[in-house]
Amino acid sequence: MSELLNFHFVVDGDDFTCAGQASVQVKKNLRQLGLPPEIIRRVSIAMYEGEINMVIHAGGGVADVNITEDFVEIILADKGPGIKDISQAMQEGYSTATDNIRSLGFGAGMGLPNMKRYTDYMSIDSVVGEGTTITMKVNIN
Amino acid sequence: MTVKQLTELEFFSSVTLPDPERSIDGVYIGDLLSWVMGRASSGDAWITIMSNVNILAVASLADTACIIVAENVKLDDVVIKTAEEKNINIIYSAVGAYETALALSKAL
């Protein structure tokens, strides 16, 4: 499948107030491409959750969004601490976020479950001490 | 009803309305941003007491009609300015989330 478009973003880990900028930009780009609103919503929510996770847990990272005729692929890669127990992290309500993060309205333990819920495919490749790469796909048709 | 019309009702006041004619189709109440983003529908008026800048990204991604900041919570100027730039409507409510929702229920 030929790749139609690629967007690359650096997610700044130092500035919590900027978190979400890449997702909002992707939403705009997808809208300009004329993708269905429900697809745009799913992609942007899943990506925002991932972006927030990279800021909270990993000190930032990089996000790549590939758009093909059949799907939108989101690849989020960081060099953070990694995820020790992925099945535990996937449980709704499980979170290792600090109280400070929770006071901002995050850390509800919904990030990874939401990413799974809103995508058609999700894989987590994580090595403790090295980092995490998450690949998600949302089918267009 | 439009977000502009909402600001004319008791308890409500406009903070910034870059898109005043946006229609309100429903209501969602919540402060946990992941929940709101996952469950609020496009066109909802979102009632919250959260005031940090991340509410703007959530409102933008969930495509809510407006953010209603309840309980007389006030926003920083930088949040308001960013909302204007991002085309996000914000309204203050002088009462709690429940009373705010009741007022919306009567009006919608």
Side-chain angles (χ1 to χ4, degrees):
Chain A
M1 177 49 57
S2 62
E3 202 171 273
L4 298 180
L5 270 173
N6 168 270
F7 302 111
H8 179 77
F9 302 92
V10 174
V11 178
D12 186 349
D14 297 326
D15 191 354
F16 207 87
T17 60
C18 290
Q21 281 187 351
S23 314
V24 172
Q25 186 58 48
V26 164
K27 184 180 179 180
K28 270 187 205 156
N29 294 345
L30 296 182
R31 199 180 268 170
Q32 280 167 1
L33 289 170
L35 287 176
E38 189 53 29
I39 300 291
I40 296 174
R41 181 179 155 91
R42 290 170 59 203
V43 168
S44 50
I45 288 173
M47 184 168 168
Y48 181 69
E49 294 284 12
E51 202 181 336
I52 290 293
N53 273 351
M54 289 201 293
V55 174
I56 292 175
H57 298 290
V62 293
D64 283 281
V65 179
N66 302 312
I67 301 159
T68 73
E69 283 176 14
D70 295 327
F71 57 81
V72 180
E73 180 182 50
I74 308 155
I75 303 168
L76 305 165
D78 68 60
K79 292 186 165 51
I83 302 169
K84 208 181 289 176
D85 185 336
I86 290 174
S87 64
Q88 192 176 32
M90 286 301 298
Q91 287 171 19
E92 285 194 5
Y94 178 80
S95 175
T96 57
T98 62
D99 285 347
N100 179 40
I101 296 296
R102 287 168 199 259
S103 74
L104 293 171
F106 297 109
M110 294 298 295
L112 288 171
N114 265 355
M115 289 157 73
K116 174 118 182 134
R117 179 179 303 144
Y118 286 104
T119 55
D120 295 302
Y121 168 87
M122 174 177 170
S123 74
I124 303 176
D125 181 14
S126 188
V127 178
V128 172
E130 291 185 19
T132 300
T133 298
I134 292 183
T135 304
M136 296 179 280
K137 284 182 191 173
V138 174
N139 294 332
I140 291 174
N141 296 311
Chain B
M1 80 189 301
T2 66
V3 292
K4 175 84 168 53
Q5 288 168 329
L6 178 64
T7 61
E8 290 157 7
L9 302 181
E10 190 187 3
F11 307 136
F12 297 98
S13 59
S14 164
V15 180
T16 179
L17 296 182
D19 187 9
E21 298 307 317
R22 180 78 193 267
S23 168
I24 298 174
D25 304 323
V27 178
Y28 190 84
I29 306 174
D31 301 315
L32 283 172
L33 301 186
S34 287
W35 276 81
V36 175
M37 199 167 42
R39 286 171 168 78
S41 301
S42 175
D44 278 354
W46 169 30
I47 304 171
T48 185
I49 53 163
M50 297 306 282
S51 58
N52 68 77
V53 72
N54 299 296
I55 61 174
L56 303 179
V58 170
S60 175
L61 293 170
D63 193 32
T64 58
C66 62
I67 304 171
I68 301 176
V69 184
E71 305 261 17
N72 255 331
V73 171
K74 298 300 178 208
L75 300 177
D76 287 342
D77 289 343
V78 63
V79 177
I80 296 169
K81 191 168 173 294
T82 309
E84 281 166 16
E85 290 166 8
K86 307 277 183 192
N87 208 39
I88 295 165
N89 296 317
I90 304 182
I91 295 167
Y92 281 151
S93 166
V95 291
Y98 173 66
E99 292 84 358
T100 302
L102 281 181
L104 273 160
S105 173
K106 279 185 201 157
L108 289 180

